[in-house]
Amino acid sequence: MLSRINAMGVLFAIAALMALALAGGLALYAIIEDPGSNSYALLAEAFLNGRLDTTNCFDGDCARFEDKIFVMFPPVPAIIALPFVALFGVNFSGFVFLSAIAFALSVWLWWQIFEGLKVDRDVAIWLLLGLAFATPLYFVTIRGDGIWFFAQAIGFAFTSLAIHQMVRGGSLILAGACIGAAFLCRQMAVFYLPFLFALSLDRFEPLISFSRSHIVRVLKLGLPAGVAVLIYLAYNYLRFGDPMQTGYPYMIGADIAEGGSMINTRLAEHGLWSSAYVLFNALYLFVQGFHMDFGGNAMVDPVGLDPSGTALLAASPFVLFAFFAPMRRPVLIGIATILVIAVPTLFYHSNGYSQYNVQRYALDWLPIVFYMLALAVSERDMRGLALLVTFGIGLNLITMAFLALGLAA
């Protein structure tokens, strides 16, 4: 027993020190963030001036339509940034700081969720360490200076708040509004509604019923999200004259920021969506390990990390414990939700590129996986969980260290 306690103590100390180092890196990156890198600042400025089009584009993911420039992404992250842009101007350089606030909120919400699910305290601590420092959440936070990553950090926080409301017996209306806000960060979030509805039901309540209580529950949850969908359709119509048009056909720039030739070639040869991407995306989502390229005649000089990333199961192997979650109704609906969100991304031209130790699109459905982990992991699994979480944090720290040395490919 003493040796087991010592081993667990050593693991926790190692994990905590590495997590502290990653937190320090996040703080440093927030301090040195350069202005003019996140186009949400431009969109916030446009909103302040009563416009939907922007004067410029800080990255390649903007559209040019009828001689106007539009940020293609949904608008809520720009609304989050709006008061700061109003104070500091379009060169506001605090997006990593805002992402860090969303990160801290998400971690706190999951502590509350685990408490509501009656997860053992030590298990909850290790799951939180894993969530914070061994999943894509850390990467999108530290890269919050980019529009893509900032949207995911904010969207994850809203999704977590929606789940928190259901698990802790909160407001259905607030949960629906949070999913609506998450949808206006990352569109796939709207598919969480059936999962949230399942969480709202008592164990013995039927899933499908035309009783008054069920109808009221559906309306409370669905109407706020429906309003968000209508806002997005109107937003698209006002920009492009078509409620279903998001702007990708009008993308500007030959060089897509953080993408380069691979993305451009894919778009030119296969389009935005294609079955040609499935094998690549599936292998990178589930199988591909950490990969450093070496150069020089002797092949001993590190030249760059794989910008397509590391598989979720390789970088965050502890998520495999979710396999043992009991097949309760919310779990089954959660698995269906994961499939609805994840499968289409296999056909998408980008798997999240560029990324190095993550598959960041997995963050869209990872909250459901953590709900499953909360049900699956018990105190008897502590040694395995602690070991795998520590490995994940260590691999993340190594990745960040290489990136700090300028080895981003």
Side-chain angles (χ1 to χ4, degrees):
M1 176 63 72
L2 183 61
S3 63
R4 177 174 178 265
I5 293 174
N6 287 341
M8 289 295 292
V10 168
L11 270 180
F12 182 77
I14 293 171
L17 286 173
M18 292 191 298
L20 186 62
L22 287 168
L26 175 59
L28 176 62
Y29 204 79
I31 293 170
I32 66 173
E33 180 185 340
D34 292 325
S37 61
N38 192 318
S39 288
Y40 274 129
L42 293 166
L43 186 56
E45 180 196 42
F47 290 163
L48 287 168
N49 293 318
R51 304 193 324 269
L52 298 180
D53 61 299
T54 60
T55 57
N56 195 2
C57 185
F58 290 154
D59 51 71
D61 278 8
C62 293
R64 187 182 298 278
F65 181 74
E66 296 183 348
D67 295 324
K68 293 181 178 180
I69 297 174
F70 295 94
V71 173
M72 295 188 299
F73 294 96
V76 156
I79 296 171
I80 298 292
L82 192 147
F84 301 95
V85 173
L87 286 172
F88 303 107
V90 74
N91 287 320
F92 169 66
S93 58
F95 283 96
V96 175
F97 175 72
L98 294 181
S99 297
I101 292 175
F103 172 90
L105 175 62
S106 296
V107 172
W108 179 81
L109 287 169
W110 277 97
W111 174 258
Q112 295 293 307
I113 292 168
F114 292 148
E115 188 177 80
L117 294 172
K118 297 183 173 22
V119 177
D120 179 83
R121 188 173 184 274
D122 290 340
V123 171
I125 289 171
W126 279 105
L127 287 176
L128 286 175
L129 281 171
L131 173 65
F133 299 107
T135 71
L137 183 60
Y138 178 84
F139 183 76
V140 300
T141 301
I142 200 170
R143 288 304 323 278
D145 56 332
I147 188 169
W148 315 271
F149 314 104
F150 184 63
Q152 285 197 279
I154 300 299
F156 186 90
F158 276 120
T159 302
S160 299
L161 181 54
I163 295 173
H164 170 271
Q165 289 298 296
M166 295 299 89
V167 170
R168 299 300 300 244
S171 166
L172 283 160
I173 295 174
L174 178 57
C178 286
I179 286 301
F183 166 78
L184 291 174
C185 297
R186 299 281 296 176
Q187 296 95 325
M188 289 292 192
V190 74
F191 294 112
Y192 270 78
L193 288 172
F195 174 66
L196 294 175
F197 181 73
L199 288 179
S200 75
L201 296 173
D202 292 333
R203 183 177 178 182
F204 297 107
E205 285 187 279
L207 178 64
I208 299 174
S209 171
F210 294 100
S211 67
R212 184 178 182 277
S213 63
H214 264 56
I215 293 172
V216 169
R217 197 171 295 172
V218 168
L219 291 175
K220 285 183 176 180
L221 189 60
L223 283 179
V227 169
V229 172
L230 291 176
I231 289 172
Y232 186 57
L233 295 176
Y235 181 62
N236 289 339
Y237 180 79
L238 291 172
R239 294 184 300 166
F240 305 116
D242 181 351
M244 302 303 293
Q245 179 58 259
T246 59
Y248 271 92
Y250 312 115
M251 187 186 296
I252 63 175
D255 295 319
I256 298 174
E258 301 240 296
S261 61
M262 183 188 86
I263 297 294
N264 291 330
T265 301
R266 287 184 171 191
L267 289 171
E269 295 184 0
H270 302 288
L272 203 63
W273 302 89
S274 173
S275 59
Y277 308 135
V278 171
L279 180 61
F280 178 96
N281 288 344
L283 289 176
Y284 268 92
L285 179 57
F286 296 114
V287 178
Q288 181 71 30
F290 177 85
H291 182 211
M292 167 73 75
D293 287 323
F294 287 84
N297 292 333
M299 295 293 287
V300 295
D301 301 319
V303 296
L305 296 172
D306 187 345
S308 292
T310 304
L312 177 67
L313 301 184
S316 312
F318 63 93
V319 301
L320 287 167
F321 276 106
F323 179 82
F324 298 108
M327 290 296 106
R328 300 175 185 173
R329 183 168 54 193
V331 171
L332 293 172
I333 294 175
I335 292 171
T337 303
I338 289 173
L339 292 174
V340 168
I341 296 173
V343 170
T345 64
L346 299 179
F347 295 82
Y348 193 52
H349 74 284
S350 169
N351 73 325
Y353 184 101
S354 59
Q355 57 195 359
Y356 302 95
N357 190 45
V358 299
Q359 294 297 299
R360 63 184 182 87
Y361 290 166
L363 204 62
D364 292 335
W365 42 267
L366 209 58
I368 297 173
V369 174
F370 269 81
Y371 172 80
M372 295 169 64
L373 285 169
L375 302 182
V377 182
S378 65
E379 196 172 3
R380 69 176 182 274
D381 304 309
M382 282 288 295
R383 287 186 294 180
L385 176 66
L387 190 63
L388 293 177
V389 168
T390 303
F391 170 82
I393 297 173
L395 190 60
N396 206 21
L397 181 61
I398 290 169
T399 303
M400 293 300 121
F402 279 130
L403 291 176
L405 293 172
L407 292 174

